[in-house]
Amino acid sequence: MINTMRKCILFVVSIWLIQLTILAQSRMIEISPEQGKDNENLMLALEKAAGYKGKPVTVRLSPGIYELDRSKSTQVLYHISNTTSESEDPDPTKHIGLYLHSLKNITIDGCGSTLQMNGEMTSFVLDRCEGIILKNLNIDYKHPTQTEVEVLEEGKDYLIVQVHPTSQYRIVDEQLEWYGDGWSFKNGIAQSYDRASNMTWRSWSPMENLIRAVELRPNVLYLQYKEKPQVGLHIVFQMRDSFRDEVSGFVNRSKNVQLENLNFYYLGNFGVVCQYSENVTFDRCNFAPRPDSGRTNAGFADFIQVSGCRGMIDIRNSRFSGAHDDPINIHGTHLRVTEFLSPNRLKVRFMHDQTFGFEAFFKGDDIELVDPLSLLAVEKAKVKEAKLVTPREMELTLSGPLSPEVIQRKDLVVENVLWTPEVRITNNYFERIPTRGILITTRRKSLIEGNTFYGMQMSGILVADDGLSWYESGPVHDLTIRRNTFFNCGEPVINIDPENREYKGAVHKNITIEENYFYMRKNSSSVIRAKAVDGLVIRHNLIYTSDAEKNKESDFIQTRDCNEVSVEKNRIQHHTCD
């Protein structure tokens, strides 16, 4: 009797498992690369996935290269933080390779496939989505918008350079131009990369003072100059224009997004921008050139830009190599108050040229009105209604009147307090960076732990906040920087530097810097510099220096306008090697 019941139970369970398997298989959409039809096939797969109406579904790509053409891309106008101004880009329409809009619970599993952009494009957009997973994908560009040349020979007024095969050029009347589908430039911005030190820095451009260019043979050019600096053999120049008219990826007004095991071999014109989104995870992502490509650069500017997000931003187990700006920048946006329309209505304006056009406030948001000179809040309020009236201006109706003292002021900026994230940045590696490794300004609990920073040309970590330049907010209230390793970074290696013009109290508070390893450059001694912090703890750090004359903590750690500071048990070790 008991055996019979067991058999019946096992039979029922088996049928149930079979049904689950069939159900799971029915929610699997598979596609394969097809020459000339990859744009269309991916869009059809996403349309089919949308038909499941939020039930979990996986779009699985058969291994291969999927060619996504600019001419066949999805074109949508987006205003994206930290990109271009109206004059630089009058039509901010994006050319999107993989477009997800208002979708839920979809996994895109690349199975090691490559999405290759043919032309100046935005590789993917997740707009108003929830529960999206992108994994096991490579993202690359057939002709990256940054060109590379390596110096083979140098004379007083000339260079002979090897052009990377992915960099297209044309010479008309001995004038050199770089080009691709949707882009071209003659002058612009350059970085130099030194293979021996594995470092990059912002530099003179081989396009400056160029008199004539001659093709000696395919991809080998003779460049003659009116004047030029000394360069050095086998230096690689990475060149680009200055217009961020596309981004590599855009996560907009979305929630619970996971990017897992992605290789960003090139990030077109800007990095992955997360804008007014909630809970975004980057895990095992590689922001670096394809190892066998011969390229030294992977990014036009930042790799990850987080603007006005909330929930948890979790960046872990990833590699950042070869950017043209900061690999990670996490911040909000200060908008300037331009007019008080009534005691509970005000008009605010996006001030920086490269940030505007999107809704920065919503009904129910908590805000702070901030003095931009001291960067201290002067009043708090709640948004009852928010309206974007022009790409530059919003009108806010508040739930109650502001004080007469605040209404009389003409110099205030506003931060959206609700849209500020918690942050975890753990176990990542940073190299070939001409600027800082991490910029972070958020009031929520944040942890930077177990990362390695090699050769940042500026600080490894910068904690800023400003209301008069980039207008990137806001204060830090709970930050721990622990067990990171800093090799040969610029000074100060950790820089806490809010841009307050006058001191009326601490801008930041509750920052702990502990158990980090600092291997200092020769003739460099500024390890930590902190300004306007209350509750600063610096302890149990190891500072490794070649300067035998400096042996006290105060030789390496400087503070200004800080209170409740504890500096203790930091060790200094000396070495004799460069």
Side-chain angles (χ1 to χ4, degrees):
M1 181 69 176
I2 294 175
N3 287 337
T4 302
M5 289 181 63
R6 285 177 177 172
K7 289 179 180 179
C8 289
I9 292 170
L10 287 173
F11 177 76
V12 172
V13 171
S14 297
I15 294 297
W16 179 67
L17 289 173
I18 291 170
Q19 289 175 335
L20 283 180
T21 302
I22 293 171
L23 180 63
Q25 289 175 345
S26 67
R27 292 183 186 168
M28 182 73 68
I29 301 167
E30 300 198 31
I31 63 173
S32 299
E34 185 177 0
Q35 187 173 4
K37 294 188 176 181
D38 290 333
N39 292 73
E40 179 184 357
N41 289 343
L42 281 169
M43 285 190 289
L44 289 173
L46 291 173
E47 287 176 9
K48 188 174 180 179
Y52 287 90
K53 300 186 183 302
K55 296 177 181 177
V57 59
T58 297
V59 177
R60 188 164 64 187
L61 281 61
S62 297
I65 297 177
Y66 294 76
E67 304 262 355
L68 303 182
D69 297 322
R70 176 183 166 95
S71 62
K72 299 178 182 179
S73 64
T74 303
Q75 298 183 28
V76 184
L77 190 151
Y78 281 111
H79 291 282
I80 301 178
S81 178
N82 296 75
T83 53
T84 53
S85 67
E86 299 94 329
S87 60
E88 291 171 331
D89 189 16
D91 178 12
T93 297
K94 305 297 180 277
H95 299 75
I96 304 162
L98 188 66
Y99 184 56
L100 285 74
H101 190 285
S102 301
L103 299 178
K104 292 181 69 174
N105 300 324
I106 294 175
T107 296
I108 299 177
D109 187 350
C111 301
S113 294
T114 296
L115 301 183
Q116 181 166 269
M117 308 301 126
N118 292 340
E120 189 175 40
M121 294 174 63
T122 293
S123 59
F124 69 87
V125 168
L126 311 180
D127 187 9
R128 291 170 171 80
C129 292
E130 183 175 346
I132 304 298
I133 300 174
L134 298 184
K135 67 180 184 179
N136 306 324
L137 267 172
N138 307 315
I139 293 175
D140 207 352
Y141 286 66
K142 188 173 183 179
H143 298 291
T145 49
Q146 283 160 286
T147 59
E148 294 194 13
V149 300
E150 182 172 352
V151 177
L152 302 179
E153 183 179 325
E154 178 179 20
K156 183 178 179 181
D157 66 345
Y158 75 89
L159 295 175
I160 295 178
V161 298
Q162 175 78 51
V163 180
H164 192 273
T166 61
S167 301
Q168 297 183 120
Y169 62 89
R170 51 191 167 219
I171 299 174
V172 178
D173 297 329
E174 298 186 325
Q175 299 303 301
L176 176 62
E177 182 178 41
W178 305 99
Y179 73 96
D181 184 3
W183 63 275
S184 65
F185 72 91
K186 292 182 178 179
N187 298 305
I189 297 169
Q191 285 188 179
S192 298
Y193 170 65
D194 176 33
R195 296 186 191 278
S197 65
N198 194 32
M199 291 187 187
T200 58
W201 59 94
R202 291 176 172 174
S203 71
W204 168 83
S205 171
M207 303 300 288
E208 293 179 26
N209 296 318
L210 182 61
I211 297 174
R212 67 187 184 108
V214 177
E215 184 180 64
L216 301 180
R217 56 185 183 273
N219 290 331
V220 177
L221 306 180
Y222 172 87
L223 306 178
Q224 186 178 8
Y225 296 92
K226 181 178 180 181
E227 59 179 354
K228 72 166 191 63
Q230 186 174 350
V231 173
L233 295 182
H234 302 296
I235 291 295
V236 177
F237 285 101
Q238 309 159 351
M239 296 170 285
R240 63 178 174 89
D241 67 29
S242 60
F243 304 124
R244 305 172 180 179
D245 44 3
E246 301 277 352
V247 299
S248 179
F250 187 38
V251 181
N252 184 53
R253 306 281 289 274
S254 294
K255 183 178 181 180
N256 300 334
V257 172
Q258 298 180 57
L259 307 181
E260 300 176 2
N261 193 30
L262 300 185
N263 288 311
F264 291 91
Y265 292 140
Y266 185 71
L267 296 96
N269 290 39
F270 203 28
V272 178
V273 181
C274 304
Q275 186 167 287
Y276 287 89
S277 292
E278 181 175 354
N279 299 332
V280 182
T281 297
F282 296 82
D283 185 17
R284 293 168 291 121
C285 290
N286 183 41
F287 298 79
R290 194 178 75 245
D292 61 352
S293 69
R295 287 185 59 86
T296 65
N297 167 256
F300 204 91
D302 297 1
F303 281 147
I304 297 175
Q305 179 91 200
V306 178
S307 176
C309 290
R310 69 182 183 183
M312 174 62 72
I313 302 298
D314 192 353
I315 304 170
R316 60 181 186 250
N317 308 318
S318 297
R319 187 178 189 90
F320 301 87
S321 177
H324 264 222
D325 212 329
D326 314 304
I328 299 174
N329 188 357
I330 298 172
H331 63 89
T333 302
H334 277 133
L335 277 70
R336 176 174 286 178
V337 178
T338 56
E339 185 179 358
F340 288 101
L341 303 171
S342 73
N344 73 324
R345 291 181 62 230
L346 61 156
K347 186 178 290 186
V348 296
R349 181 177 178 82
F350 289 99
M351 297 303 298
H352 195 274
D353 288 348
Q354 295 179 346
T355 297
F356 67 99
F358 52 86
E359 294 176 282
F361 302 93
F362 309 93
K363 180 180 179 179
D365 287 350
D366 297 313
I367 64 171
E368 284 185 353
L369 288 87
V370 176
D371 173 9
L373 295 177
S374 68
L375 292 175
L376 301 182
V378 298
E379 191 153 352
K380 298 179 180 180
K382 184 176 286 289
V383 177
K384 182 178 180 181
E385 183 181 352
K387 182 180 179 182
L388 186 68
V389 293
T390 74
R392 282 280 171 189
E393 292 183 316
M394 293 194 72
E395 288 185 6
L396 305 181
T397 302
L398 307 179
S399 58
L402 296 167
S403 66
E405 294 80 10
V406 166
I407 292 173
Q408 291 173 3
R409 298 190 58 159
K410 301 181 183 298
D411 60 345
L412 298 176
V413 295
V414 181
E415 180 182 30
N416 192 330
V417 174
L418 186 65
W419 287 89
T420 54
E422 293 186 51
V423 175
R424 285 198 302 253
I425 303 174
T426 56
N427 303 319
N428 303 288
Y429 188 87
F430 301 82
E431 65 174 359
R432 302 186 194 174
I433 305 301
T435 50
R436 291 71 49 117
I438 297 171
L439 275 66
I440 182 168
T441 51
T442 177
R443 65 186 65 213
R444 310 288 177 185
K445 185 178 180 65
S446 299
L447 173 66
I448 301 174
E449 182 174 33
N451 305 283
T452 299
F453 302 82
Y454 175 77
M456 308 297 102
Q457 295 300 300
M458 299 180 188
S459 300
I461 297 171
L462 171 63
V463 178
D465 188 12
D466 79 86
L468 291 170
S469 56
W470 277 91
Y471 291 86
E472 292 185 358
S473 60
V476 163
H477 287 173
D478 187 346
L479 170 63
T480 299
I481 301 172
R482 177 194 297 141
R483 298 174 190 150
N484 302 283
T485 302
F486 301 87
F487 286 104
N488 297 332
C489 292
E491 58 180 339
V493 180
I494 296 176
N495 191 16
I496 304 168
D497 189 24
E499 295 181 29
N500 54 322
R501 307 291 176 88
E502 58 187 33
Y503 180 77
K504 292 184 178 179
V507 176
H508 302 306
K509 62 182 180 181
N510 301 330
I511 297 177
T512 298
I513 303 170
E514 63 184 1
E515 301 175 24
N516 300 284
Y517 179 98
F518 299 92
Y519 189 104
M520 302 301 291
R521 291 178 178 177
K522 186 177 181 180
N523 300 321
S524 177
S525 62
S526 183
V527 175
I528 299 167
R529 188 179 299 158
K531 170 187 169 188
V533 182
D534 280 0
L536 176 64
V537 177
I538 304 171
R539 65 189 175 199
H540 301 293
N541 298 286
L542 174 61
I543 301 167
Y544 205 49
T545 178
S546 61
D547 193 338
E549 296 182 0
K550 295 184 177 179
N551 50 35
K552 303 187 301 295
E553 290 175 315
S554 58
D555 292 330
F556 300 92
I557 299 168
Q558 299 87 38
T559 64
R560 179 161 66 95
D561 293 333
C562 295
N563 298 299
E564 300 176 36
V565 177
S566 175
V567 179
E568 61 177 359
K569 298 181 180 179
N570 299 286
R571 292 190 297 142
I572 294 99
Q573 290 190 5
H574 298 90
H575 65 92
T576 56
C577 300
D578 292 344

